[in-house]
Amino acid sequence: MFTFPLTDTAELSPLEPHHAPEFAAFIERHRTHLSPWLPWAARLTDEPLTRAWLQRYADDTAHDGPRIYAIRLDGELVGGTLFRTFDVRFGTAEIGVWLAPDAQGRGLITRAAQRMITWAVEERGINRVEWRTVPANARSIACAKRLGMTLDGVLREAFPYLGENHDVQVYSLLASEWRELSTGTLRR
């Protein structure tokens, strides 16, 4: 298994089916915090459901598709990231993120997303990385902006959740922009 350091005490690593007990417990502890934004946090209510969900990501990863990662702080699962979509043929990917409330404010999501973008662009040839969020999720929007993403537009009522159709803001970052940001030559 690989890990990628995010700080002296935090790391990014694959979130695999054998982590289902730990991830199910994490979801249970943080369901109230996560479920307004993440449908899976409401759906994954036990270990078998969680294991099956993680297995789908493991299968997708084996076919060079979507993949999922854990963020650990001092060895404890505190959040995660995923490529909700990952399509090398079309050069596109979408990042999703989540974090426990007590781990917020440390830059973990930003660092993890930066690592994922670098890998996707430099190693896998992804040209466009997307970040989708509902307009009410201010923390998500702030992170997309910290990453240098541009608001492409709003998909009106595109996210049916909890009996309501929510707008979805689509942010994106192109490979050329990421390279310019990485070298400090991008001017916005």
Side-chain angles (χ1 to χ4, degrees):
M1 181 179 86
F2 84 88
T3 61
F4 181 84
L6 299 173
T7 70
D8 289 344
T9 58
E11 65 186 21
L12 184 68
S13 62
L15 187 55
E16 299 175 334
H18 71 272
H19 295 121
E22 177 187 30
F23 191 41
F26 171 85
I27 294 167
E28 186 59 36
R29 279 192 311 277
H30 301 291
R31 191 177 317 280
T32 302
H33 172 71
L34 300 172
S35 63
W37 320 111
L38 303 164
W40 55 259
R43 256 190 347 263
L44 301 179
T45 56
D46 60 31
E47 187 180 322
L49 287 170
T50 303
R51 183 178 310 280
W53 193 72
L54 291 174
Q55 185 62 56
R56 281 192 297 278
Y57 274 98
D59 294 344
D60 287 343
T61 299
H63 293 96
D64 203 20
R67 49 205 79 208
I68 189 168
Y69 303 95
I71 296 174
R72 298 182 183 284
L73 182 62
D74 295 320
E76 180 186 342
L77 179 64
V78 296
T81 62
L82 56 76
F83 282 116
R84 196 183 73 74
T85 64
F86 192 85
D87 191 327
V88 175
R89 188 177 80 162
F90 289 104
T92 61
E94 179 193 337
I95 293 179
V97 299
W98 62 94
L99 196 64
D102 56 339
Q104 293 177 345
R106 302 169 192 235
L108 298 175
I109 290 293
T110 302
R111 285 185 187 96
Q114 287 169 332
R115 176 62 186 134
M116 291 176 68
I117 293 167
T118 297
W119 177 81
V121 168
E122 300 303 331
E123 294 185 34
R124 301 299 297 132
I126 296 296
N127 182 59
R128 177 185 167 86
V129 179
E130 291 186 353
W131 185 286
R132 295 178 180 223
T133 186
V134 295
N137 194 338
R139 293 185 79 87
S140 182
I141 292 166
C143 191
K145 290 178 179 179
R146 277 193 304 277
L147 292 166
M149 294 190 163
T150 299
L151 176 62
D152 289 339
V154 177
L155 303 174
R156 299 179 309 140
E157 296 187 6
F159 179 50
Y161 185 55
L162 300 176
E164 186 178 337
N165 290 316
H166 300 268
D167 290 350
V168 175
Q169 292 181 336
V170 180
Y171 290 82
S172 70
L173 183 66
L174 303 178
S176 59
E177 294 168 333
W178 183 247
R179 289 183 186 107
E180 290 179 40
L181 281 168
S182 298
T183 61
T185 58
L186 181 65
R187 303 283 181 243
R188 292 209 182 232

